[in-house]
Amino acid sequence: MKSGTLTEAIRIERASTTINDAGTPTETWARLAELRAERVEQTTEEFIRGFGASDEELVIFRFRFFDGIRNADRVIWRGQAFNIKQVTPIGRYKGVELRCVRLAE
């Protein structure tokens, strides 16, 4: 993986639970890592669902190996939150490929 291809800045966030002033647990997103990544693919598809038509944006990122990323985490890219659908290691600790989806309005 060449560093010249890592042109995108992404942030990995993990859900965490905190207690607010009223004592109620609330879910917040905590920063796990900020990484440089390569955008491998970016597509948008339209789906017909029960609530009507919706667009899904799929983005595949590739970056140097970072351990501990799970499907429950999310990616922030260009100010938009993407759900992680698949985490694929590349080689033996060489890199990681993330398949992320965002439901577009």
Side-chain angles (χ1 to χ4, degrees):
M1 185 174 311
K2 297 184 179 184
S3 60
T5 62
L6 305 177
T7 58
E8 305 292 334
I10 64 171
R11 184 171 68 227
I12 310 291
E13 293 183 343
R14 179 163 290 162
S16 63
T17 304
T18 59
I19 307 297
N20 65 10
D21 295 336
T24 307
T26 57
E27 187 175 285
T28 59
W29 290 94
R31 180 176 299 165
L32 186 63
E34 289 194 18
L35 306 166
R36 301 296 295 178
E38 172 188 359
R39 183 182 64 208
V40 178
E41 183 180 341
Q42 181 178 9
T43 59
T44 303
E45 283 188 70
E46 183 178 46
F47 291 96
I48 305 299
R49 295 197 165 95
F51 57 84
S54 67
D55 290 336
E56 267 188 16
E57 184 177 0
L58 169 76
V59 181
I60 299 174
F61 295 106
R62 193 176 293 154
F63 51 90
R64 296 192 193 283
F65 187 78
F66 185 83
D67 196 23
I69 298 174
R70 305 184 302 225
N71 288 352
D73 300 336
R74 73 177 184 180
V75 171
I76 304 295
W77 177 59
R78 295 184 177 171
Q80 301 288 323
F82 288 81
N83 294 329
I84 298 174
K85 293 295 182 183
Q86 183 180 8
V87 180
T88 308
I90 300 170
R92 296 188 85 194
Y93 305 110
K94 182 177 180 181
V96 177
E97 190 169 280
L98 294 182
R99 182 176 299 269
C100 305
V101 174
R102 181 178 71 89
L103 187 64
E105 291 84 32

